[in-house]
Amino acid sequence: MTKKRTRELDSAVPHQQEVQDEAQAPPETAMETAILESETIKQDLETAGGQAIVVEIIKHTVQSTGHVLKHEEKGDQTDDQPQTRREPEGKRLLAQGAEGRVYVTSFLNSRHAVVKVRFSKKYRHPELDTRLTSKRISQEVRMMVRARKLGIRTPVLYDVKKDCGEIWMEYLEEQHGWRSLKSMLFDFEHNDFKEYLDSNVQESGQRTHHNITGTGSAALVLALKKNRGLMAMASLVGAKVAELHRGDIIHGDLTTSNIMIQKINNTESSKLSEFELAFIDFGLSTISTMDEDRAVDLYVLERAIESAHSLFADIFNEQIIDSYREAYKNSKDGSKRSADANSSITPGFRVIRKLEDVRMRGRKRVMIG
């Protein structure tokens, strides 16, 4: 080899080394990292004959990463909703949950209505997000229709727009007498019951406020029994939940905020007919014939009352459970879950017995981690 050829080879080595260094240099941004990783996975999938949908998900992930980074560089916040699910004009936000928002609007310019909008989840593939949203909307609507067939009051459905993730339904307004059970219990706790306690303290100066308001105290029991309308509400809640469960409907989010009460007249009465009850928000509802699921539904309601109204939760929950058991006992249940011919154990008794087990361990049957 000549000296000239040797010098040419020696001069080419640094250049090759620079090319290798540039190829091995770490990416400067998270966007470049995502692109490199996705391209590597894509090549592996194509070599192994991977599915096209997996490649599309990877591409969407890279695009979403770039979208987020672009907005972060500009200092803007990304929008959680696509163009078709943004808040329309003329609507007022009423409530927001983990899966959607509820707006107050008008239907056909003639009556008030509420629109429940399930917003898009950016971390999901668009096709998967559309399918899940459509499925969950259909499930919620079916549960509402099934409950109405059982004679249980739910908001009247006006329209369903699965492509936009919207459910249009009746607005149970306060001006028409509808209030949440949570609101009514708060009123009793801070108004009626407080007035009763103040009058008792004035009559008996020796008794302390703690002795009167203690959970399970004689004064508390007397105050609750005196308010017959409150106990009638508890009985109505237990009876209606039993009707829901006899129809194999598990609400899934049975809290005092999702139970609406309408008082038909203003007189104090212990008759259930003086009140009307409606269930709302069937977004987590399912069909089940298991006593375990029914017991968990009751447990969620119990915990909701205990957490917000601990002062009289024990007595109120006891009345709900007694009414629940009585409703099952008096029902003409021709299903497989009716009482055995040679046994006095009713379906309601089995649910209450399962509820005791749920109370001991919590709502989760399998505890991992």
Side-chain angles (χ1 to χ4, degrees):
M1 183 182 296
T2 63
K3 294 182 178 181
K4 182 178 180 182
R5 180 59 176 170
T6 303
R7 286 194 299 269
E8 291 177 354
L9 292 176
D10 293 340
S11 62
V13 170
H15 177 70
Q16 294 177 357
Q17 185 65 30
E18 292 177 359
V19 173
Q20 293 177 359
D21 292 341
E22 292 177 359
Q24 296 176 358
E28 296 180 357
T29 63
M31 179 60 186
E32 295 177 0
T33 302
I35 294 175
L36 291 176
E37 291 179 354
S38 64
E39 291 299 329
T40 303
I41 297 173
K42 180 179 178 181
Q43 293 176 2
D44 295 340
L45 288 173
E46 291 176 349
T47 303
Q51 297 294 329
I53 185 62
V54 180
V55 178
E56 291 297 326
I57 292 175
I58 294 173
K59 290 181 178 179
H60 172 69
T61 303
V62 175
Q63 294 172 358
S64 300
T65 305
H67 175 72
V68 172
L69 290 174
K70 181 179 179 181
H71 281 268
E72 287 179 352
E73 291 174 357
K74 293 182 178 181
D76 298 334
Q77 295 181 351
T78 56
D79 193 356
D80 292 334
Q81 296 184 1
Q83 184 66 27
T84 57
R85 299 188 198 175
R86 288 179 180 172
E87 178 181 356
E89 296 181 0
K91 295 182 181 179
R92 174 174 59 88
L93 181 63
L94 180 64
Q96 177 172 340
E99 295 293 329
R101 299 185 180 97
V102 178
Y103 301 95
V104 178
T105 183
S106 60
F107 182 72
L108 299 178
N109 297 323
S110 59
R111 63 182 66 184
H112 285 167
V114 295
V115 185
K116 182 175 182 180
V117 182
R118 283 183 174 268
F119 40 70
S120 175
K121 301 297 180 65
K122 286 295 185 180
Y123 59 83
R124 289 198 294 237
H125 188 274
E127 183 178 354
L128 177 62
D129 181 69
T130 301
R131 290 181 181 179
L132 288 177
T133 300
S134 177
K135 180 180 179 181
R136 289 171 182 174
I137 287 178
S138 299
Q139 176 74 0
E140 182 172 357
V141 170
R142 281 198 298 267
M143 293 299 100
M144 294 176 66
V145 173
R146 185 184 179 106
R148 292 188 69 87
K149 288 182 178 179
L150 295 174
I152 300 171
R153 182 77 158 86
T154 63
V156 178
L157 289 169
Y158 293 153
D159 194 7
V160 179
K161 301 178 181 180
K162 298 202 307 185
D163 55 338
C164 300
E166 296 180 356
I167 302 178
W168 292 62
M169 66 190 85
E170 175 189 8
Y171 180 30
L172 303 180
E173 300 181 77
E174 186 172 350
Q175 65 182 21
H176 293 158
W178 287 102
R179 296 178 61 192
S180 68
L181 178 60
K182 182 177 181 179
S183 174
M184 300 189 78
L185 292 180
F186 268 123
D187 276 359
F188 170 76
E189 185 175 4
H190 296 286
N191 295 322
D192 298 345
F193 186 56
K194 186 176 182 298
E195 292 177 2
Y196 178 81
L197 290 179
D198 293 340
S199 62
N200 270 267
V201 171
Q202 293 176 0
E203 293 176 1
S204 178
Q206 296 180 353
R207 289 182 297 176
T208 63
H209 188 267
H210 173 73
N211 292 332
I212 295 177
T213 60
T215 302
S217 65
L220 179 59
V221 174
L222 183 61
L224 287 172
K225 290 183 177 180
K226 184 179 179 181
N227 193 303
R228 294 177 297 175
L230 184 71
M231 301 309 292
M233 277 194 298
S235 299
L236 180 63
V237 170
K240 290 300 181 180
V241 172
E243 288 184 25
L244 203 67
H245 287 175
R246 286 205 309 268
D248 298 332
I249 298 178
I250 307 301
H251 189 278
D253 191 19
L254 199 58
T255 65
T256 52
S257 298
N258 292 331
I259 298 176
M260 303 296 292
I261 302 288
Q262 184 185 41
K263 197 170 184 178
I264 298 178
N265 56 44
N266 295 324
T267 60
E268 289 290 337
S269 174
S270 60
K271 298 180 180 180
L272 299 185
S273 59
E274 302 296 334
F275 298 94
E276 186 174 4
L277 182 146
F279 293 103
I280 62 174
D281 193 2
F282 284 78
L284 299 176
S285 60
T286 57
I287 295 293
S288 176
T289 59
M290 296 178 60
D291 292 334
E292 171 80 20
D293 296 331
R294 293 184 171 103
V296 170
D297 231 15
L298 288 174
Y299 179 74
V300 170
L301 179 59
E302 277 189 347
R303 295 295 295 172
I305 296 174
E306 289 174 1
S307 62
H309 315 283
S310 58
L311 201 62
F312 52 86
D314 292 343
I315 301 174
F316 197 81
N317 283 332
E318 182 180 356
Q319 183 68 24
I320 290 177
I321 297 302
D322 289 343
S323 178
Y324 182 92
R325 185 189 294 109
E326 192 69 19
Y328 254 110
K329 182 179 179 180
N330 297 333
S331 66
K332 297 179 180 180
D333 191 358
S335 65
K336 296 180 181 179
R337 305 193 59 78
S338 59
D340 299 333
N342 300 324
S343 175
S344 59
I345 300 178
T346 63
F349 180 83
R350 290 197 297 264
V351 174
I352 302 304
R353 188 169 58 183
K354 182 65 68 173
L355 175 60
E356 296 174 357
D357 296 337
V358 175
R359 288 169 179 163
M360 294 293 293
R361 58 169 169 78
R363 62 184 296 182
K364 299 296 184 182
R365 189 187 327 188
V366 180
M367 303 298 290
I368 300 176

